[in-house]
């Protein structure tokens, strides 16, 4: 049966990335106390097996030095304090590597499962944490049952393995009394370290069961109802009317910027009334002419109006206007297949401007503009060469 929320709706959907991120900020990440406990105990056992002999030797040396002081020092309070401070410093230096290993393990074990997560919100006081009714519910839910089962399993496992180790080492333990003190201590330390490692390693079985359960339980608790998923999607993506308004504003801004570029254009190629494409070309800065504005119907009319107001020449070439409109975007260079036709028009426009300034003869208008069929996409287009009209 699927989990239900407070409204009685079934949580059948997997948690979204946004839901998981919000849960992480609240400190809700998968954690396994068994994994952390096992890692700490096993690390401690291995570290003691590797460093225990040296640590015992050095501790023995410190005790010997501390208990074999000269008679004059025993009655000198300053010397006694200095000796105590030195002993504490040596002991701290001796224990520091072991403590550092344990600290690193304590941080690394939880991070290995749920990643690093520090949440002040999780540390905040919440009245429901001390609510006895909710406490009883937590005690008798599935998680509480699992914790009881884990505790019994650990008790039986550790007890069984401990009894087995005791039975295995019983002959050696009985013979310890016949060894001298030094050899007996070394032998005892070896038995204890090996037993500690075996007992700690046995907890890997509990951790191997607990880790998948914690991951499953966390995923189950993070599940969402379909309504929650829809609400989150709506809040993330925005309401349709808001998104439409944003797109409208974006179009208006883009169109306003486009209109601001028209006065800098060299020519506006028209259809004559349905399409309009404004081109600019600077031989020193551009490899090819660039489309600075384009539009159809009302936008095309606005482009022509702005062009006329700023004395930008209009050139009527229906096939070329449609081809440029469908094959380019704003700030795109003219396609290579339209270079020749555009070059003819720009050459004519530049010559026309030069003749107006110098008073020379009026240049001849290009009689044929070759436009390939591949550039036509719109309805009602005409293919083949068409004579361009004279510029206004």
């Amino acid at each position: 049966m699927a989990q239900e929320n407070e409204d009685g709706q079934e949580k059948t959907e997997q948690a979204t990335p946004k839901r998981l991120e919000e849960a992480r900020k609240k400190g809700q990440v998968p954690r396994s106390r068994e994994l952390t406990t096992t890692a700490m105990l096993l690390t401690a056992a291995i570290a003691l097996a590797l460093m225990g002999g040296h640590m015992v030797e050095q501790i023995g040396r410190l005790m010997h030095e501390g208990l074999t002081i000269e008679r004059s020092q025993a009655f000198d309070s300053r010397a006694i304090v200095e000796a105590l401070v030195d002993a504490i410093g040596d002991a701290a230096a001796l224990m520091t590597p072991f403590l550092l290993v344990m600290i690193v393990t304590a941080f690394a074990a939880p991070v290995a499962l749920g990643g690093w997560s520090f949440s002040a919100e999780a540390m905040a006081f919440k009245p429901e944490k001390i609510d006895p009714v909710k406490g009883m519910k937590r005690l008798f839910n599935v998680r509480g049952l699992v914790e009881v089962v884990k505790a019994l399993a650990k008790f039986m496992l550790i007890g069984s393995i401990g009894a087995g180790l005791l039975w295995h080492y019983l002959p050696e333990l009985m013979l310890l009394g016949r060894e001298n003190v030094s050899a007996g201590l070394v032998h005892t330390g070896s038995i204890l370290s090996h037993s500690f490692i075996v007992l700690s390693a046995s907890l890997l079985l509990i951790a191997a069961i607990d880790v998948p359960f914690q991951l499953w339980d966390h995923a189950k608790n993070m599940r969402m109802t379909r309504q929650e998923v829809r609400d989150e999607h709506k809040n993330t993506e925005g309401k349709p009317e808001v998104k439409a308004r944003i797109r409208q504003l974006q179009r208006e801004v883009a169109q306003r910027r486009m209109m601001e570029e028209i006065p800098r254009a060299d020519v506006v190629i028209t259809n004559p009334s349905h399409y309009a494409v404004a081109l600019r070309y600077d031989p020193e800065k551009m490899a090819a002419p660039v489309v600075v504005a384009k539009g159809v119907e009302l936008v095309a009319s606005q482009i022509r109006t702005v062009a006329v107001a700023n004395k930008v020449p209009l050139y009527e070439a229906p096939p070329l206007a449609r081809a440029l409109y469908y094959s380019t975007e704003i700030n795109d260079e003219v396609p290579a297949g339209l270079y020749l036709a555009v070059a003819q028009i720009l050459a004519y426009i530049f010559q026309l401007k030069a003749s107006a300034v110098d008073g020379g003869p009026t240049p001849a208008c290009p009689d044929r503009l070759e436009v390939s069929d591949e550039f036509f996409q719109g309805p009602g287009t005409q293919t083949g060469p068409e004579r361009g009209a004279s510029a206004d």
Side-chain angles (χ1 to χ4, degrees):
M1 181 176 178
Q3 188 179 9
E4 296 182 353
N5 67 353
E6 296 179 354
D7 298 331
Q9 298 180 358
E10 292 186 352
K11 295 184 176 182
T12 58
E13 308 302 315
Q14 295 294 330
T16 62
K18 184 175 183 294
R19 173 68 173 270
L20 294 176
E21 182 62 26
E22 291 177 349
R24 176 174 290 276
K25 292 179 180 179
K26 297 177 181 178
Q28 299 176 1
V29 294
R31 288 284 187 259
S32 172
R33 286 182 294 180
E34 307 306 325
L35 177 63
T36 303
T37 302
T38 302
M40 293 285 291
L41 290 175
L42 192 56
T43 302
I46 295 174
L48 288 176
L50 297 176
M51 299 184 292
H54 173 72
M55 292 172 63
V56 170
E57 180 182 349
Q58 293 301 315
I59 290 174
R61 180 185 61 81
L62 290 174
M63 293 182 65
H64 180 269
E65 292 177 354
L67 296 175
T68 56
I69 60 176
E70 297 180 0
R71 188 174 186 279
S72 60
Q73 292 179 326
F75 295 96
D76 187 349
S77 59
R78 177 179 296 179
I80 291 294
V81 172
E82 290 178 354
L84 179 61
V85 171
D86 292 340
I88 293 175
D90 293 340
L94 179 63
M95 297 297 296
T96 296
F98 176 77
L99 294 177
L100 288 177
V101 170
M102 297 306 298
I103 291 173
V104 171
T105 305
F107 280 97
V111 171
L113 180 59
W116 174 257
S117 176
F118 178 80
S119 174
E121 185 176 348
M123 297 165 46
F125 173 76
K126 296 180 180 178
E128 58 268 19
K129 291 184 178 180
I130 59 175
D131 187 345
V133 176
K134 292 186 178 180
M136 294 297 293
K137 290 182 178 179
R138 288 193 296 267
L139 182 62
F140 292 101
N141 62 7
V142 176
R143 177 179 289 275
L145 178 62
V146 170
E147 294 297 328
V148 172
V149 171
K150 285 194 302 182
L152 293 175
K154 285 191 291 184
F155 174 77
M156 291 188 295
L157 180 64
I158 297 298
S160 301
I161 295 178
L165 288 171
L166 183 60
W167 180 263
H168 174 74
Y169 285 115
L170 183 60
E172 298 182 36
L173 293 173
M174 298 300 294
L175 294 175
L176 286 176
R178 298 183 180 182
E179 300 178 5
N180 59 50
V181 175
S182 299
L185 289 175
V186 172
H187 196 179
T188 302
S190 176
I191 293 175
L192 291 177
S193 63
H194 291 163
S195 301
F196 191 15
I197 291 176
V198 173
L199 289 172
S200 301
S202 65
L203 292 177
L204 289 172
L205 178 61
I206 303 296
I209 298 175
D210 185 61
V211 168
F213 170 76
Q214 296 298 336
L215 293 173
W216 170 83
D217 187 62
H218 177 73
K220 180 175 70 69
N221 292 332
M222 291 294 103
R223 284 178 184 172
M224 307 168 64
T225 65
R226 294 183 178 180
Q227 184 61 41
E228 288 174 337
V229 174
R230 286 194 291 265
D231 292 342
E232 180 183 297
H233 179 74
K234 182 182 295 184
N235 294 332
T236 302
E237 300 296 331
K239 297 181 179 180
E241 57 270 20
V242 175
K243 293 169 62 178
R245 178 57 179 167
I246 292 175
R247 286 195 296 267
Q248 179 183 353
L249 293 175
Q250 290 174 340
R251 286 194 297 268
E252 291 177 356
V253 171
Q255 183 174 330
R256 184 164 57 251
R257 292 177 179 174
M258 182 178 69
M259 293 299 174
E260 293 174 354
E261 292 294 324
I262 295 175
R264 301 170 56 194
D266 293 307
V267 65
V268 174
I269 302 175
T270 64
N271 193 32
S273 58
H274 298 293
Y275 296 84
V277 180
L279 303 176
R280 182 172 72 246
Y281 180 55
D282 186 347
E284 297 181 357
K285 299 180 181 179
M286 301 178 182
V290 174
V291 176
V292 297
K294 70 172 189 174
V296 295
E297 304 299 343
L298 180 59
V299 177
S301 176
Q302 294 176 347
I303 292 174
R304 291 193 301 271
T305 301
V306 174
V308 171
N310 290 274
K311 298 181 179 180
V312 177
L314 303 179
Y315 191 94
E316 186 177 319
L320 181 58
R322 293 193 295 269
L324 287 170
Y325 179 84
Y326 287 113
S327 62
T328 62
E329 297 294 336
I330 304 299
N331 296 324
D332 281 356
E333 292 184 349
V334 171
L338 299 177
Y339 278 178
L340 180 58
V342 171
Q344 289 178 290
I345 294 177
L346 288 175
Y348 168 70
I349 295 298
F350 291 154
Q351 292 173 3
L352 195 64
K353 291 180 179 179
S355 65
V357 174
D358 300 336
T362 301
C365 180
D367 56 352
R368 297 181 66 83
L369 298 176
E370 298 292 338
V371 180
S372 175
D373 294 346
E374 63 178 302
F375 292 101
F376 292 96
Q377 301 180 29
T381 57
Q382 301 176 7
T383 61
E386 181 174 339
R387 185 179 187 278
S390 59
D392 294 336

